[in-house]
Structures are given as structure tokens and as C-alpha cells.
Amino acid sequence: QVQLVESGGGSVQAGATLKLSCAASGLTFSNSAVGWFRQAPGMEREFVAGISWSWSGNTLYADSVKGRATISRDNVKNAVYLQMKSLKPEDTAVYYCAARSGYSTRSEANEYDYWGQGTQVTVSS
């Protein structure tokens, strides 16, 4: 029923900007929160950014991307975006879109119920 599809990844050089998209279907954002996670080979999945679908639209960012990442939502299109500027080689990973029930966004991966297949981001120096 719920499907999340990420897109917008690619191979870029350090300092570039990418905007990732998460298209959601079968999900009511009015009572949901969406987050972006990333995972590099052999590494643990880590939180990047999240946004609540409540009226406040509260956002949460990992320290590693704070000031460089912007998460946003489009209620009409049921889409969530992650724009990352000043990309660094350490940003290289598969980026996943995830959704959870509830109004608040969380940084723990196990708090999310639905996951997309991911989109690859590769940043070279």
C-alpha cells in the first residue's frame, strides 16, 4: 500500500549540490513524518534529516549536514525533498527515504515503518 521512491542521486564533485526527491503513495502525510537516511557500504544506516507533516513542519538535521542540508515537503504532490549543498566525499552513500506514523520526526531508523529502495549519491574529491 505504501510506496516510497527516491530519485535525484548521482555522481558529483565535492562542493556540488544535489536535490533528492522522495515520491510517496498510499501514505497520509497529515499524521506522518518523513526522514532521510544514508548508508555507506559496511557502515550503519544513519539519520540525515527529517520533517514532520504536522502544521509546524518541524525539521531535524544531523550534525554532519547541519547548515548544508534542507528538507522540504510538497503536500499536494506527496513528495519530500532533500537538498544538500557543499557535498563532501563523506556524504557518499545510498540515501533512503523513510516514513513513520505520528507527528514527530525521529532520528532512529527503527522508528520508521516504510522505506524506499534508495538512490546512490557519490561525491568525489
Side-chain angles (χ1 to χ4, degrees):
Q1 182 179 352
V2 176
Q3 184 176 4
L4 305 173
V5 181
E6 303 94 334
S7 62
S11 181
V12 299
Q13 290 191 333
T17 297
L18 280 177
K19 187 174 184 178
L20 309 181
S21 299
C22 173
S25 62
L27 182 68
T28 302
F29 283 91
S30 60
N31 63 350
S32 301
V34 176
W36 284 93
F37 291 78
R38 64 187 183 186
Q39 187 169 26
M43 304 296 290
E44 185 175 308
R45 190 174 302 177
E46 64 175 347
F47 174 78
V48 178
I51 186 169
S52 172
W53 219 254
S54 66
W55 65 269
S56 63
N58 290 341
T59 58
L60 182 66
Y61 296 95
D63 290 340
S64 59
V65 301
K66 193 171 297 182
R68 300 188 297 120
T70 301
I71 187 170
S72 60
R73 66 191 186 191
D74 187 322
N75 301 62
V76 176
K77 296 181 178 180
N78 272 6
V80 176
Y81 308 97
L82 177 68
Q83 180 171 294
M84 294 190 63
K85 300 179 180 294
S86 301
L87 285 163
K88 306 174 182 179
E90 51 263 44
D91 293 320
T92 296
V94 176
Y95 283 69
Y96 298 91
C97 177
R100 66 181 299 273
S101 298
Y103 292 109
S104 62
T105 185
R106 301 287 179 86
S107 60
E108 299 84 6
N110 58 18
E111 293 285 347
Y112 289 80
D113 305 306
Y114 312 104
W115 294 84
Q117 295 299 308
T119 183
Q120 177 71 49
V121 172
T122 302
V123 185
S124 60
S125 60

